[in-house]
Amino acid sequence: MTDRYASFVQSGAGRALVKRLGLPDPPRLRRHTPGDPLVPGPVLLGTAAGSRLAEPVTKVLTFAGVELRDPVAATDDPVRYAGLVYDATGITDSTGLRQLYDFFHPHARSLTPSGRVIVLGTPPAECGSPREATAQRALEGLTRSIGKEFGRGVTAQLVYVTKDGDAGTLTSLESTLRFLLSGRSAYVSGQVVRIGAGTATAPADWDRPLDGQVVLVTGAARGIGAALATVLARDGAQVVALDVPSAGDALAEVANEIGGSAVQLDLTAPDAPTRLAEHLAARHGRVDVVVHNAGITRDKTLGRMDPDRWDQVIDVNLSSQERINDVLLERDLIPAGGRIVSVSSIAGIAGNRGQTNYATSKAGVIGLVDSLTPVLRERGISLNAVAPGFIETRLTARIPLMLREAGRRMNSMAQGGLPVDVAETIGWLAWPASGAVTGNVVRVCGQSLLGA
C-alpha cells in the first residue's frame, strides 16, 4: 500500500508546503540492506562517572567496525554523528542526572537523519538504594522524550543491563546494540529493552545470524508473515512456513521463493498441535525458533459482537499459541537455546474501539510473556513479544481514509511502518546471540502516541 502523502512530502513542492503549513513531515527512514555498514558514520560514546559498561561497549562496537568518538575531544568537533550512545549505569541519585544534560545538550543537533540514540542503564529492581532506582527509572522519560523531540527519523532506546551479567549478557548486549544502531530498527523507537543473564552464542557471520536454525513462522502466507519468512531466510534460517489450507497457493509461493518448506494447517483444529509437532520431529528433529504470527480480526463493538467473533479471535490469536507451546515443550522439540517470539499489538496495550476481542487476545499475548518467561528461563529458552502499531498491509488498506491517515501520522515518524520492520525486530529476538534478551515486549510502532 502506497503512502501518497509521504511520497508527496519528499518532492520539492511538498517540502515547501509542509514547512509553510506546519504539516506532518514523514522522514525517509534508514532501513537495512545486506552489506550496509552498521552505521553510516561515527558514533559518540559518553559515560557517566562510575559506569560499568563503557569498556564492553567499546570492545563490541569497535569489533563491529564502528568509528567511536570521545565527547571530550568532540566538544568543538563539527562532525555529524550517526549515533549517540551513553552509559548511564553510574548514575546513583537524581543529582547525577545532570550528566545526561551535559552529554546530550551540546550534541542534540549533531545527529544525522535516521540517527540512533541509545542509553544504557541498570534495572531499577537491581539497584542498591531507592535513590539509585529512582535515578535509573528516570532514564525512561529521557529516552522517550528524545524520540519525540529529535525528529528526522532519529530513534531513541533505553537498554537496561543486569548487574549480575555473564558471557551471555555481553553477547546479547552486542546483538542488541547491533540491532538498535542498524537500519533494522528503523521503526522501533522509545522502547525499553531488558538484558539479563543467559546463554547466548555469537554467530560466525553477523550477516547470517540465524545460520543452521530451524524456524517456524505461523501465518506466513502474506503480509507480516511473508516478510518474516523472507527476512529470517535471508539471515540464514531454514524456514517452515505455516498457514491455513485456504492460503495454500500464496504459502507455497512464499516457501518456494525462500527455499523453505510449507505446512498447511488450521491451528484451531483439535489435533493441530500434535500434527505440527509430529511434522517438525519427522522433518527436522527440533525447532529452534517458534514465531507465533498467525492472527485474525473480527471487528465489532462489544455490544454488537456475536459469540463466534469473540471465540474465533481469542482462539487463533492466543489460545492456539498456548496449545502449540505446550505440545512442543512437552515433547522437548524446542531445545535449550531456543526462542519463542509472539506477535502482540499496541491494541493490547492501549485498547481500540471496535476491537475488544482483538485487544483482549493481544493483551493476553503480553500476559503469556510475563507468566511463561520464568519457566522457560530455567530451560534456557527465551520468550519475547513484539507489538506492531500501524503497519502498511492489506488489512490496514481497508481502514477508512481518515482513520488510516490518523494511524499513519500519530507517531514520532509521522508514517506507517512496513512489514519488514516487524520482521527485522523478530529476527533480532530470534538470533542465538539474543538469548539473554527475554521477557520483553518491544513495540514496532514508530513511537506511537497511543498507549504507554
Side-chain angles (χ1 to χ4, degrees), residues 371-397:
S371 61
L372 194 55
T373 292
V375 177
L376 295 183
R377 185 182 282 115
E378 295 182 0
R379 300 177 60 159
I381 299 171
S382 73
L383 172 61
N384 296 282
V386 298
F390 187 97
I391 305 297
E392 303 279 0
T393 67
R394 63 186 181 88
L395 294 179
T396 52

Side-chain angles (χ1 to χ4, degrees), residues 240-315:
V240 179
L242 181 150
D243 217 312
V244 292
S246 60
D249 290 344
L251 182 67
E253 184 176 347
V254 169
N256 290 336
E257 286 180 356
I258 64 171
S261 60
V263 176
Q264 297 184 28
L265 185 65
D266 180 355
L267 294 179
T268 64
D271 62 345
T274 300
R275 289 172 58 192
L276 176 59
E278 290 173 349
H279 174 86
L280 292 170
R283 291 290 186 90
H284 306 285
R286 71 186 197 284
V287 57
D288 299 296
V289 181
V290 177
V291 182
H292 291 294
N293 169 71
I296 62 172
T297 57
R298 297 290 186 268
D299 296 352
K300 281 285 185 182
T301 56
L302 187 59
R304 298 177 181 274
M305 186 181 297
D306 58 82
D308 284 345
R309 288 176 185 266
W310 179 275
D311 293 341
Q312 289 172 20
V313 169
I314 299 296
D315 198 22

Side-chain angles (χ1 to χ4, degrees), residues 310-329:
W310 179 275
D311 293 341
Q312 289 172 20
V313 169
I314 299 296
D315 198 22
V316 173
N317 295 3
L318 179 59
S319 301
S320 69
Q321 294 190 22
E322 295 176 308
R323 293 192 296 266
I324 290 169
N325 288 343
D326 287 348
V327 172
L328 295 182
L329 292 168

Side-chain angles (χ1 to χ4, degrees), residues 29-47:
L29 303 183
R30 173 171 65 92
R31 290 187 167 91
H32 175 71
T33 300
D36 283 351
L38 191 62
V39 286
V43 170
L44 193 64
L45 176 60
T47 307

